[in-house]
């Protein structure tokens, strides 16, 4: 299949349809309900899940079938954190981000610590997931949210009204 991959309906609805292209109505349309957090996620990944899910749910960008993709995002972000801590500890101890080893010919080689590659690859995956969920500045600029409903609560709060009355 050539060309750009099609956008999900919720993203098309949020961005608008400036080209006025007809909508493809022959694809699945899951309900915008947040998935449950998988039990098997690491502690750090669960923390990110709890932080990001309410934001994505408020925007209508999550469905139950997004669970695995969101779990992948959270686990890769947790992996970035772990690798970054190891990198920092190594640098603090050795004042460099490489280590030396002796090869089979007896020569001493200096190579980067493996955590640098791990962190870099995890960041690339995190970025891919962020783009899919509209979590980068550039992907957000392509989303056009409908005007928020004004309940007047914020204005009442600003004016000191509401609570205690």
């Amino acid at each position: 299949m050539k060309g750009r991959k099609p956008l999900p309906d919720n993203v098309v609805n949020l961005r608008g349809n400036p080209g006025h292209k007809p909508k493809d109505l022959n694809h699945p349309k899951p309900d915008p309900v947040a998935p449950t957090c998988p039990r098997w996620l690491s502690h750090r990944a669960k923390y990110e899940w709890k932080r990001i899910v309410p934001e994505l749910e408020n925007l209508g960008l999550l469905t139950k079938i997004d669970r695995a993709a969101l779990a992948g995002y959270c686990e890769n972000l947790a992996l970035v954190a772990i690798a970054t801590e190891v990198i920092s500890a190594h640098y603090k101890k050795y004042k460099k981000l490489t280590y030396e080893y002796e090869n089979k010919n007896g020569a001493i080689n200096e190579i980067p610590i493996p955590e640098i590659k791990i962190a870099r690859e995890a960041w690339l995956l995190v970025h891919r997931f962020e783009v899919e969920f509209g979590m980068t500045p550039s992907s957000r600029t392509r989303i056009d949210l409908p005007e928020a409903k004004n309940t007047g609560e914020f204005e009442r709060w600003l004016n000191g009204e509401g609570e205690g009355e």
Side-chain angles (χ1 to χ4, degrees):
M1 203 186 273
K2 293 185 179 183
R4 291 184 182 185
K5 62 181 179 179
L7 296 171
D9 282 345
N10 55 352
V11 175
V12 171
N13 291 337
L14 292 172
R15 287 185 183 175
N17 190 4
H20 303 289
K21 294 180 182 177
K23 289 185 179 180
D24 178 15
L25 302 175
N26 296 325
H27 58 272
K29 296 166 192 74
D31 290 332
V33 177
T36 58
C37 183
R39 290 185 198 154
W40 47 264
L41 284 183
S42 68
H43 175 72
R44 290 172 193 249
K46 284 180 182 177
Y47 179 83
E48 177 62 10
W49 183 283
K50 290 174 185 171
R51 186 190 74 79
I52 200 67
V53 164
E55 296 292 331
L56 294 173
E57 187 175 29
N58 286 338
L59 294 172
L61 296 175
L62 277 183
T63 68
K64 286 184 178 183
I65 62 174
D66 297 327
R67 186 176 190 226
L70 191 58
Y73 159 77
C74 293
E75 279 298 343
N76 276 284
L77 193 60
L79 185 58
V80 166
I82 293 166
T84 301
E85 286 176 356
V86 171
I87 292 167
S88 295
H90 187 279
Y91 185 77
K92 187 175 183 180
K93 183 175 182 180
Y94 299 105
K95 304 296 183 224
K96 61 183 183 175
L97 296 177
T98 57
Y99 70 94
E100 295 176 355
Y101 77 99
E102 186 175 340
N103 67 17
K104 62 182 177 183
N105 298 329
I108 302 295
N109 294 326
E110 194 165 321
I111 62 170
I113 59 174
E115 291 79 10
I116 292 174
K117 183 177 180 183
I118 292 169
R120 183 179 297 123
E121 289 174 359
W123 268 124
L124 289 172
L125 289 172
V126 165
H127 178 71
R128 287 182 183 169
F129 285 118
E130 287 175 331
V131 169
E132 290 293 324
F133 285 108
M135 296 189 304
T136 64
S138 62
S139 64
R140 278 194 306 274
T141 62
R142 295 185 296 268
I143 296 176
D144 187 21
L145 292 174
E147 196 169 314
K149 294 178 183 173
N150 185 355
T151 62
E153 290 179 31
F154 182 68
E155 288 77 11
R156 286 194 298 276
W157 177 81
L158 281 176
N159 295 327
E161 303 168 8
E163 287 190 37
E165 291 183 20

